């Protein structure tokens, strides 16, 4: 039985999203138990069924606008829902963590309470992004680290390769370095060094550089760089998509022809919106940890959170952590397999 730990109080929608998603999960997955971490007096009355759902009472919640997550986590590590959940994950009481809590708090709590794999040295925030061919891609790091050494990026590329193989189903996925040009020798010194390290890593299928204008039409299944570069790229995509959607609505409403055309194009436009909707994906994975952690978007509704839990289930079922450990260097510098 897979045990999924859910931070029930996190996110903009809180219990409205997490409880409905959890009830749907146990209904549709007979081999899954959900453990809800949060205020029991608020959770229990909302449960329409207790089958394979457990509650761990946590009297406190980390605030979405927390300015100093390190202090907050150290202060409330035994009472805040996210902290208790992360501690239980480290102690193997749950197989996976799913939360839509504040990103900084999630990253810091994962560092302090679950802790990274010794061989990885850094963790990365890795969302699944859409692509023109309809097949998902991995983009990392998008904010866990503003800078990364080439060796850190190389090890995270190995982690992402296992995720792409075991969760997304790619065979020998290609890794692209997000850069300002496709030619070898482009970018900052750190990018040039990273290119060489990735090229010499026999555990990955390195493609070369990928420019930002290729991200949604990517020739690679994995796109990687430091958290500053990845975060700018991701937010540019999100902002562009929102602006284009708004412009399209304005154009449709601006004329009678536009309104009539919408009636014929409505189904196509809905399918287009679904292809770009982050709710279809669920959340971003925190790679580099000893336990799978899924960070759902802060505004995740029940549908988005349900998909985030499915991500976690897939990581556990496919033993992503075990497969990563088999591909990483051991203490003597060789792979463990």
């Amino acid at each position: 039985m897979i045990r999924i730990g859910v931070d029930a109080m996190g996110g903009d929608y809180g219990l409205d999203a997490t409880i409905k998603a959890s009830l749907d999960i146990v209904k549709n997955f007979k081999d899954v138990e959900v453990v809800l971490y949060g205020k029991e007096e608020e959770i229990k009355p909302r449960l329409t069924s207790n089958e394979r759902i457990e509650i761990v009472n946590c009297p406190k919640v980390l605030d979405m606008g927390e300015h100093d997550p390190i202090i907050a986590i150290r202060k409330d590590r035994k009472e805040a829902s996210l902290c208790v959940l992360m501690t239980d994950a480290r102690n193997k009481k749950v197989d996976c963590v799913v939360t839509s809590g504040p990103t900084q708090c999630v990253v810091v709590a994962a560092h302090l309470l679950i802790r990274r794999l010794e061989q990885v040295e850094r963790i990365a925030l890795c969302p699944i992004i859409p692509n023109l061919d309809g097949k998902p891609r991995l983009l990392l790091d998008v904010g866990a680290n503003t800078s990364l050494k080439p060796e850190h990026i190389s090890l995270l590329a190995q982690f992402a390769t296992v995720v792409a193989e075991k969760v997304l189903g790619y065979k020998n996925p290609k890794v692209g370095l997000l850069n300002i040009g496709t030619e070898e020798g482009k970018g900052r010194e750190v990018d040039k060094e990273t290119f060489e390290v990735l090229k010499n890593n026999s555990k990955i299928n390195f493609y070369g550089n990928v420019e930002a204008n290729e991200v949604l039409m990517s020739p690679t299944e994995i796109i990687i760089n430091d958290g500053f570069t990845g975060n700018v790229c991701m937010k540019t995509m999100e902002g562009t998509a929102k602006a284009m959607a708004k412009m399209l609505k304005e154009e449709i409403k601006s004329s009678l022809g536009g309104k009539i055309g919408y009636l014929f194009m409505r189904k196509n436009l809905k399918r287009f919106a679904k292809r770009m909707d982050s709710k279809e994906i669920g959340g971003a994975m925190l790679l580099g940890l000893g336990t799978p952690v899924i960070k759902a978007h802060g505004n995740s509704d029940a549908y988005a959170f349900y998909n985030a839990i499915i991500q976690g289930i897939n990581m556990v079922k496919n033993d992503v952590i075990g497969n990563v450990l088999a591909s990483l260097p051991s203490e003597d510098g060789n792979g463990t397999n």
Side-chain angles (χ1 to χ4, degrees):
M1 191 72 70
I2 296 171
R3 287 171 61 84
I4 302 294
V6 168
D7 177 18
M9 314 301 293
D12 297 340
Y13 292 98
L15 297 175
D16 289 338
T18 57
I19 290 181
K20 185 179 186 311
S22 299
L23 288 168
D24 288 341
I25 285 291
V26 296
K27 178 182 177 181
N28 296 326
F29 294 84
K30 301 304 181 184
D31 57 345
V32 174
E33 295 176 346
V34 174
V35 185
L36 296 169
Y37 289 74
K39 298 178 181 179
E40 186 173 14
E41 71 275 12
E42 295 182 25
I43 295 172
K44 201 167 185 178
R46 291 171 175 256
L47 289 179
T48 57
S49 170
N50 293 322
E51 184 183 1
R52 287 179 283 115
I53 293 183
E54 180 184 332
I55 302 172
V56 174
N57 185 41
C58 306
K60 293 186 178 181
V61 180
L62 293 180
D63 186 71
M64 291 296 285
E66 186 59 61
H67 295 296
D68 196 330
I70 295 177
I71 291 176
I73 289 164
R74 286 176 174 167
K75 178 184 176 183
D76 296 326
R77 64 185 299 169
K78 294 184 178 180
E79 295 185 303
S81 57
L82 179 63
C83 298
V84 177
L85 170 53
M86 292 283 191
T87 301
D88 279 2
R90 182 187 175 189
N91 294 328
K92 307 303 180 185
K93 293 182 180 180
V94 294
D95 300 309
C96 177
V97 170
V98 184
T99 176
S100 54
T103 300
Q104 272 194 315
C105 290
V106 173
V107 172
V108 172
H111 258 300
L112 296 177
L113 303 177
I114 294 182
R115 300 181 184 176
R116 58 175 172 75
L117 297 171
E118 290 183 7
Q119 301 97 318
V120 175
E121 296 187 21
R122 294 289 186 276
I123 66 175
L125 196 58
C126 177
I128 298 173
I129 61 172
N131 199 70
L132 185 63
D133 64 6
K135 298 177 181 178
R137 300 293 197 268
L138 297 179
L139 174 66
L140 70 157
D141 178 20
V142 299
N145 312 271
T146 54
S147 62
L148 286 168
K149 293 180 180 179
E151 293 77 16
H152 298 154
I153 293 176
S154 183
L155 288 170
L156 288 169
Q158 288 181 219
F159 205 125
T161 293
V162 173
V163 173
E165 290 176 340
K166 300 298 181 180
V167 177
L168 302 184
Y170 288 114
K171 185 177 181 181
N172 197 25
K174 296 182 291 295
V175 176
L177 178 65
L178 185 59
N179 208 336
I180 60 171
T182 58
E183 304 88 354
E184 186 172 348
K186 286 286 187 177
R188 305 162 294 182
E189 277 306 311
V190 67
D191 297 314
K192 297 173 187 177
E193 292 173 18
T194 302
F195 188 101
E196 290 300 316
V197 172
L198 292 174
K199 186 169 70 172
N200 293 313
N201 186 343
S202 62
K203 296 293 182 72
I204 65 171
N205 180 13
F206 183 54
Y207 171 86
N209 290 323
V210 173
E211 290 188 84
N213 61 0
E214 297 179 287
V215 168
L216 294 178
M217 302 177 290
S218 178
T220 69
E221 289 72 42
I222 299 162
I223 306 167
I224 194 167
N225 208 311
D226 60 75
F228 182 90
T229 305
N231 190 272
V232 170
C233 177
M234 182 187 67
K235 288 182 177 175
T236 300
M237 287 191 300
E238 290 177 345
T240 301
K242 288 179 181 178
M244 290 185 67
K246 188 174 181 180
M247 285 188 284
L248 182 59
K249 287 180 181 179
E250 289 175 352
E251 290 298 322
I252 289 172
K253 293 178 181 179
S254 67
S255 68
L256 178 62
K259 293 174 182 176
I260 294 173
Y262 172 73
L263 296 176
F264 291 99
M265 293 289 291
R266 182 167 49 188
K267 290 183 179 179
N268 305 77
L269 291 171
K270 285 183 177 180
R271 287 198 297 269
F272 169 77
K274 188 173 183 179
R275 286 175 67 177
M276 296 297 293
D277 193 350
S278 61
K279 293 178 182 178
E280 298 294 324
I281 302 299
M285 296 162 281
L286 266 178
L287 304 187
L289 300 167
T291 300
V293 173
I294 307 298
K295 167 62 179 79
H297 202 286
N299 67 356
S300 293
D301 58 13
Y303 179 70
F305 202 84
Y306 174 86
N307 286 329
I309 296 176
I310 291 176
Q311 273 183 263
I313 292 171
N314 287 335
M315 289 189 76
V316 175
K317 283 186 174 181
N318 290 288
D319 190 21
V320 167
I321 304 301
N323 281 285
V324 166
L325 286 170
S327 77
L328 292 175
S330 58
E331 292 182 2
D332 60 5
N334 298 314
T336 56
N337 54 359

